[in-house]
Amino acid sequence: RRGDGGPYPAGAFQRADVELLQSTRPRFADGNDYLAKLLGVINGDHGGFSQTGQVPRPLAIMYLQMHAEIDAWRAATDPMLKSGLVDWLDGGFYRASRAPDWTSIEFDKLALHNAELMVALGAAGQQFGDPFCLRIAKNTFDALLDRFTADEGWVATARKGDEDARGRSAYANFAVKE
């Protein structure tokens, strides 16, 4: 609506968008500049791309792989793959770490997050001949198939829970001796 309360005539916003697009040259991102910035934000001590908390960035690690930045790829991913973020019991990845050293794990598991990491690690495992990455990608695939599949065959957005009336999971809560 206009400032005086009256409505804009139909199509005014679209006309303004078309005029803007026609008046400027399209600008595409500079891939080399992005690659340099990405290389510059890799945490040298703990891998990943943050100095505070850590969230895996599958598209960023795939970008490094596509540009054959193998050393940078390893520097960014190896600490993550050797951390508690990888679920070796059930497969897949937990959502994030509140600390830069991949500790203080947030134990949510999201399907999209796991699928993107599975693809990134599977492709890198093939390209680099890395059986460790391939194993993690396979475990993630199995987790998506087993733990995320809803009764109707669809993939759920997050891992299905089995909480009882007290909010306790029989699967995730067991005595130390068990």
Side-chain angles (χ1 to χ4, degrees):
R1 301 179 67 84
R2 292 191 315 238
D4 64 1
Y8 277 111
F13 290 122
Q14 292 85 352
R15 194 176 309 99
D17 289 344
V18 168
E19 289 169 3
L20 178 65
L21 289 171
Q22 291 173 343
S23 68
T24 60
R25 277 185 55 204
R27 184 171 173 207
F28 296 98
D30 180 356
N32 292 331
D33 184 47
Y34 179 74
L35 181 60
K37 288 179 182 175
L38 186 59
L39 292 170
V41 297
I42 294 173
N43 184 321
D45 295 326
H46 307 293
F49 303 97
S50 174
Q51 304 301 319
T52 55
Q54 295 277 17
V55 176
R57 308 276 181 211
L59 293 177
I61 62 177
M62 286 180 75
Y63 198 80
L64 292 173
Q65 175 203 348
M66 288 172 16
H67 289 278
E69 291 286 345
I70 297 171
D71 292 336
W73 187 93
R74 293 226 178 266
T77 59
D78 281 355
M80 174 189 73
L81 297 178
K82 295 173 183 171
S83 76
L85 201 74
V86 178
D87 182 356
W88 286 101
L89 292 177
D90 292 328
F93 293 85
Y94 297 113
R95 189 174 71 82
S97 163
R98 290 187 209 124
D101 62 352
W102 303 99
T103 59
S104 188
I105 303 295
E106 294 181 10
F107 290 103
D108 296 328
K109 278 183 154 180
L110 306 176
L112 178 62
H113 176 83
N114 274 274
E116 288 176 338
L117 284 166
M118 176 193 68
V119 169
L121 292 174
Q126 287 288 336
Q127 182 177 347
F128 304 150
D130 188 332
F132 186 64
C133 287
L134 290 174
R135 181 72 212 167
I136 294 174
K138 183 190 178 308
N139 289 355
T140 304
F141 176 82
D142 291 342
L144 287 168
L145 190 63
D146 295 337
R147 303 244 182 249
F148 287 80
T149 306
D151 296 333
E152 300 83 26
W154 296 94
V155 175
T157 58
R159 187 175 71 173
K160 295 181 293 182
D162 67 342
E163 294 82 13
D164 60 16
R166 297 177 304 149
R168 304 291 299 247
S169 166
Y171 178 77
N173 293 288
F174 47 87
V176 173
K177 65 181 179 179
E178 293 177 69

